Amino acid sequence: QVQVVESGGGLVQPGGSLRLSCAASGSGFSISFMGWYRHAPGKQREFVAGVPSGGSAHYSDSAKGRFTISRDNAKNTAYLQMNGLEPDDTAVYYCTVVAHWGKEEYDYWGQGTQVTVSS
């Protein structure tokens, strides 16, 4: 089992910044992928950003140029730096971790952290 915990959400004014963190904990696992999704009221959950182990980060069109995902592999932690936030960025942000033990691979999700962009 892997526990995934997000933090860093909150209320920010338009144009502001937030940094989300995602920490994965457990034992004996390796991480294949870490990423962020978001779910806004009345909308479907959508991909925001992700980075595979040993690979390059990729972003949704809405996140490109404003958000940056990074990883600290030693800490099994991912970060999402969000700049130039807009009201449309308001959503619950979820971290996903794809962890594997040998050939067995599983997808884990955190409980989500609320991001509200409003004046």
Side-chain angles (χ1 to χ4, degrees):
Q1 281 287 344
V2 173
Q3 290 74 47
V4 178
V5 178
E6 304 103 332
S7 60
L11 173 64
V12 63
Q13 292 187 341
S17 298
L18 281 175
R19 187 192 193 210
L20 306 183
S21 298
C22 168
S25 61
S27 62
F29 68 97
S30 298
I31 294 177
S32 303
F33 176 87
M34 298 185 80
W36 292 92
Y37 284 73
R38 67 186 183 186
H39 190 190
K43 298 182 180 180
Q44 291 187 334
R45 184 180 66 182
E46 63 174 348
F47 171 79
V48 177
V51 56
S53 295
S56 300
H58 48 281
Y59 300 90
S60 66
D61 287 344
S62 63
K64 283 179 185 176
R66 298 188 300 132
F67 296 0
T68 303
I69 187 170
S70 60
R71 283 175 57 175
D72 183 336
N73 293 325
K75 297 181 179 179
N76 287 334
T77 299
Y79 305 95
L80 185 67
Q81 178 67 43
M82 304 187 294
N83 299 326
L85 284 162
E86 304 166 352
D88 282 349
D89 295 316
T90 296
V92 178
Y93 284 69
Y94 295 92
C95 178
T96 181
V97 175
V98 178
H100 66 90
W101 292 259
K103 295 182 178 180
E104 294 186 13
E105 191 173 82
Y106 300 94
D107 192 10
Y108 296 91
W109 292 81
Q111 80 289 348
T113 185
Q114 176 70 47
V115 171
T116 303
V117 184
S118 176
S119 55

